[in-house]
RNA sequence: CGGAGUUUAGCGCAGUUGGUAGCGCGCUACGUUCGGGACGUAGAGGUCGGGCGUUCGAGUCGCCUAACUCCGACCA
């Protein structure tokens, strides 16, 4: 068994610190010179690229196309939709000038006061406004609908307190923005994309999620209905992993986007928007990793297999490398990504620890002894179990193993979630149970006041009203008023 | 935006009553090693976060300032 890393804080000791340590030590990201902004390092970005590629394929399969809208949004656009501006105004970066000049005393540069913008520009916190001001020109008739656009972009939300991947001032995401002729179609779109996100989370990230509807308190500013997927982290806190909004006609009305329907009548367009961000990487880390480092699902690992040679001299090293070249070819031929680390400046033991820290799903170790016996040592990252197998057919063995790891870490996460999800029927019990973390399934009277009170008193919020599952009515745990179904309460990120 | 803490070599840290800066890791070279974070020898690497002050003399004392981390409030 691997010994635990000295430098990595253990999860039990301090979960938040464990997460911070892991992000840095696994080389995923680091803090930058700009407060609240992060540098996503190559290994971390490789995970994002894998996510991007998969999601992009899924968007294309569901009929969407990519486009790009500007980073800057005229200030006046943001005030067009009252709820929307309310939601974002406090955290917007504003561009006021367009030019610098050399400081008169020769020390660096200053903002040129002559170069003040007539209308200030907002660095997008999200793109609904710029997009709907554009869609106005794209839409005249029902024949122009639907519009199913997505964009991959960065956005800026000036957060007071930030954490790598989980909450940063600038982050990467995709935002889908669709326009529809009917309410039903837009609602169906919002639901469809929620399903896409849930599929992605469960099948690729191996993170089980609850699909649900946000309460009014948690709803996106400007949306009629916000759908979400909620994931449970190992410390018992919930993390919103993706959202899909049914925007109704709010933005169409704000930007006067109307179309002529088949009866030659003018109607406002129906809208959706949906997004996931680099925050998913935070979810990935917190869902699976352990005290030895990252545990990555094979489907998103930058490389799925690492091969470490064990040799005493150049002669052995060459002999091993020759054999490894064959194995690499066999693995690649069936679509398995592999890294061969034959660097001479680290010993095998060091490499073992390093690749465990980085969460590589499978490690193959091969030494002179293996060459003689026709064997190879295989270790799986999720359980840290080692075994020695014959080299013959190793690629198929690894293929099965990768699938098994993908399934196993999903199951592990699901079992954990099941074990900390429980029904609670009294507020007294709730106050005790919420301290233990996990999802509490409770009846709620449906009012913002009750939710707000629970939040103030326990720091827990309604993560969502689940779409699937038990729909048995009951009584609110706080007020005793009727409740249509249990909702998910948790503390959250 | 409030409370606390930190800032000294690439990283992690020590530095006593104020006397001119050190340890571990890493890095470079050579050698021995290599099946779970190897070892030896020889090196390189510092405007002590920044500014002002006290002093013959400041990493150390005082004031100001900045950044970062954690805890709150706010939020994807």
């Amino acid at each position: 068994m691997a010994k635990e890393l000295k430098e990595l804080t253990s999860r039990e000791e301090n979960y938040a610190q464990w997460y911070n340590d892991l992000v840095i030590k696994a080389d995923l990201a680091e803090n930058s010179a700009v407060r609240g902004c992060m540098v996503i390092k190559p290994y971390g970005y490789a995970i994002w690229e894998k996510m991007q590629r998969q999601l992009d394929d899924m968007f294309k399969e569901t009929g969407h196309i990519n486009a790009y809208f500007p980073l800057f949004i005229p200030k006046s656009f943001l005030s067009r939709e009252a709820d929307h501006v309310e939601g974002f105004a406090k955290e917007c970066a504003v561009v006021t000038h367009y030019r610098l000049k050399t400081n008169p005393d020769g020390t660096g540069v200053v903002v040129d006061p002559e170069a003040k913008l007539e209308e200030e520009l907002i660095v997008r916190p999200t793109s609904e406004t710029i997009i709907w001001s554009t869609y106005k020109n794209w839409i005249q008739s029902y024949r122009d609908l639907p519009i199913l656009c997505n964009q991959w972009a960065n956005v800026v939300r000036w957060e007071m307190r930030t954490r790598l991947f989980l909450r940063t001032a600038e982050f990467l995401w995709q935002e889908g923005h669709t326009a529809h002729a009917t309410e039903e179609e837009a609602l169906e779109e919002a639901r469809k994309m929620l399903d896409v996100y849930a599929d992605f989370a469960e099948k690729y990230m191996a993170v089980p999620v609850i699909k649900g509807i946000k309460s009014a308190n948690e709803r996106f500013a400007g949306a009629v209905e916000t759908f979400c997927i909620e994931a449970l982290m190992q410390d018992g806190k919930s993390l919103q992993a993706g959202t899909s909004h049914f925007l109704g006609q709010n933005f169409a009305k704000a930007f006067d986007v109307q179309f002529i329907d088949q009866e030659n009548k003018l109607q406002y367009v129906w809208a959706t928007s949906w997004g996931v961000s680099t925050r998913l990487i935070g979810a990935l880390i917190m869902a699976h990793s352990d005290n030895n480092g990252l545990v990555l699902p094979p489907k998103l690992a930058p490389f799925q297999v690492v091969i470490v040679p064990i040799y005493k001299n150049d002669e052995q090293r060459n002999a091993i490398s020759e054999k490894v070249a064959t194995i690499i070819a066999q693995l690649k031929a069936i679509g398995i990504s592999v890294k061969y680390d034959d660097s001479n400046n680290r010993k095998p033991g060091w490499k073992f620890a390093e690749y465990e820290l980085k969460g590589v799903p499978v490690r193959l170790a091969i030494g002179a002894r293996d060459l003689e016996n026709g064997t190879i040592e295989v270790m799986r990252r999720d359980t840290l179990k080692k075994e020695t197998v014959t080299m013959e057919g190793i690629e198929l063995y690894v293929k099965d193993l990768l699938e098994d790891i993908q399934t196993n870490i999903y199951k592990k996460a699901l079992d954990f979630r099941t074990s900390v999800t429980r029904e609670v029927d009294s507020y007294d019990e709730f106050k005790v149970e919420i301290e233990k973390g996990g999802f509490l399934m409770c009846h709620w009277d449906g009012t913002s006041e009750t939710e707000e009170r629970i939040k103030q008193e326990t720091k827990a919020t309604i993560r969502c009203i689940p779409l699937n599952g038990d729909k048995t009515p009951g009584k609110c745990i706080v007020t005793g008023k009727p409740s249509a179904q249990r909702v998910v309460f948790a503390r959250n990120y």
Side-chain angles (χ1 to χ4, degrees):
Chain A
M1 286 297 270
K3 73 173 175 187
E4 294 190 358
L5 285 151
K6 283 169 281 204
E7 315 91 58
L8 193 64
T9 307
S10 73
R11 283 178 296 184
E12 297 73 24
E13 191 186 323
N14 185 338
Y15 194 85
Q17 194 58 45
W18 165 81
Y19 174 85
N20 292 339
D21 284 0
L22 193 44
V23 171
I24 300 294
K25 292 187 160 69
D27 230 15
L28 300 175
E30 61 187 35
N31 284 304
S32 72
V34 182
R35 182 196 186 90
C37 294
M38 66 176 162
V39 174
I40 304 176
K41 297 185 77 175
Y43 194 66
Y45 199 79
I47 296 172
W48 179 238
E49 283 182 315
K50 288 239 168 185
M51 290 178 162
Q52 254 186 320
R53 183 169 303 179
Q54 181 55 37
L55 283 165
D56 203 60
D57 284 350
M58 293 167 94
F59 297 156
K60 301 272 170 61
E61 274 165 30
T62 43
H64 301 85
I65 47 174
N66 287 327
Y68 187 79
F69 294 85
L71 172 67
F72 300 121
I73 298 174
K75 191 175 74 177
S76 58
F77 282 20
L78 271 183
S79 41
R80 298 277 276 275
E81 214 284 339
D83 291 334
H84 191 63
V85 67
E86 180 93 4
F88 287 109
K90 291 173 301 225
E91 50 189 31
C92 285
V94 184
V95 180
T96 56
H97 293 74
Y98 61 85
R99 193 165 65 211
L100 299 171
K101 63 175 188 180
T102 308
N103 203 331
D105 67 8
T107 58
V109 288
V110 291
V111 173
D112 185 346
E114 302 289 307
K116 199 165 172 8
L117 286 170
E118 206 153 294
E119 179 174 4
E120 288 155 346
L121 297 172
I122 310 303
V123 181
R124 63 178 164 223
T126 179
S127 300
E128 275 78 4
T129 58
I130 189 82
I131 285 175
W132 280 88
S133 76
T134 307
Y135 280 1
K136 177 179 167 60
N137 300 322
W138 293 4
I139 299 167
Q140 276 94 43
S141 119
Y142 71 92
R143 295 181 193 277
D144 297 323
L145 297 171
I147 294 175
L148 304 171
C149 268
N150 175 65
Q151 83 165 342
W152 290 94
N154 59 337
V155 287
V156 168
R157 297 179 191 174
W158 212 265
E159 298 289 347
M160 286 300 172
R161 199 171 157 199
T162 60
R163 287 187 75 191
L164 293 173
F165 291 117
L166 297 175
R167 175 166 290 107
T168 47
E170 180 193 15
F171 56 92
L172 305 183
W173 77 346
Q174 56 70 217
E175 45 181 327
H177 294 273
T178 68
H180 305 266
T182 66
E183 178 175 15
E184 298 71 47
E185 194 185 302
L187 257 171
E188 193 196 322
E189 165 77 8
R191 292 288 299 270
K192 184 199 288 174
M193 297 323 287
L194 186 73
D195 289 344
V196 166
Y197 288 154
D199 266 9
F200 175 77
E202 300 194 334
K203 298 203 175 102
Y204 290 84
M205 295 173 64
V207 175
V209 293
I210 296 182
K211 290 190 276 191
I213 299 171
K214 283 296 187 192
S215 66
N217 288 14
E218 301 280 322
R219 192 185 291 146
F220 172 71
V224 172
E225 196 92 281
T226 290
F227 300 97
C228 64
I229 51 171
E230 289 287 324
L232 188 71
M233 303 296 101
Q234 294 173 2
D235 61 347
K237 285 168 81 175
S238 181
L239 186 139
Q240 180 176 300
T243 52
S244 180
H245 313 291
F246 168 62
L247 301 172
Q249 295 174 311
N250 290 351
F251 285 92
K253 284 177 180 166
F255 288 89
D256 191 30
V257 187
Q258 300 189 69
F259 69 101
I260 301 280
D261 69 12
Q262 292 178 65
E263 272 87 52
N264 201 32
K265 278 198 227 145
L266 262 186
Q267 290 208 37
Y268 284 108
V269 175
W270 298 85
T272 81
S273 68
W274 27 275
V276 295
S277 73
T278 38
R279 188 181 225 205
L280 288 180
I281 296 174
L284 197 61
I285 296 165
M286 288 200 291
H288 303 308
S289 303
D290 62 24
N291 286 339
N292 289 300
L294 285 180
V295 175
L296 295 175
K299 287 184 180 175
L300 294 177
F303 42 95
Q304 297 165 309
V305 176
V306 63
I307 304 178
V308 176
I310 295 154
Y311 52 86
K312 293 194 199 304
N313 50 49
D314 279 352
E315 194 189 331
Q316 285 188 358
R317 186 186 183 186
N318 292 339
I320 291 165
S321 292
E322 203 174 304
K323 187 70 204 174
V324 166
T326 316
I327 296 171
I328 291 173
Q330 288 169 330
L331 289 171
K332 284 189 174 166
I334 55 170
I336 296 170
S337 54
V338 52
K339 176 189 168 108
Y340 178 45
D341 185 354
D342 66 342
S343 59
N344 202 17
N345 57 339
R346 301 287 186 202
K347 289 183 62 184
W350 191 94
K351 293 176 186 174
F352 293 172
E354 177 68 9
Y355 292 112
E356 277 160 26
L357 180 60
K358 291 195 155 188
V360 180
V362 170
R363 182 187 74 226
L364 302 179
I366 176 166
R369 214 156 62 206
D370 295 301
L371 282 189
E372 273 176 39
N373 303 337
T375 57
I376 192 160
E377 186 190 270
V378 182
M379 196 213 67
R380 54 186 293 174
R381 176 63 184 87
D382 59 339
T383 61
L384 295 170
K385 290 216 172 75
K386 283 196 288 205
E387 52 188 330
T388 301
V389 303
T390 68
M391 233 180 263
E392 188 69 32
I394 185 65
E395 75 279 14
L396 295 175
Y397 184 88
V398 169
K399 182 171 182 278
D400 287 346
L401 186 56
L402 288 170
E403 282 166 17
D404 192 49
I405 293 169
Q406 183 82 29
T407 310
N408 183 52
I409 62 174
Y410 175 78
K411 186 176 179 302
K412 210 166 146 190
L414 183 60
D415 288 348
F416 172 71
R417 188 182 78 181
T418 304
S419 73
V420 296
T421 301
R422 56 249 190 240
E423 296 188 350
V424 168
D425 291 318
S426 85
Y427 195 34
D428 285 341
E429 192 188 350
F430 183 95
K431 285 172 179 167
V432 174
E433 289 300 315
I434 199 66
E435 296 299 327
K436 301 175 191 164
F439 285 150
L440 302 187
M441 310 300 291
C442 307
H443 284 290
W444 162 62
D445 64 16
T447 66
S448 291
E449 292 72 32
T450 302
E451 184 180 4
E452 189 56 35
R453 179 177 158 196
I454 293 171
K455 184 180 176 182
Q456 291 304 322
E457 293 176 359
T458 68
K459 290 176 186 147
T461 51
I462 296 171
R463 298 326 303 148
C464 69
I465 302 155
L467 291 170
N468 308 317
D470 191 5
K471 296 279 198 274
T472 316
K475 285 182 187 165
C476 175
I477 56 164
V478 175
T479 62
K481 289 180 189 164
S483 153
Q485 69 171 95
R486 289 179 189 272
V487 302
V488 184
F489 278 93
R491 289 190 178 146
N492 75 303
Y493 277 96

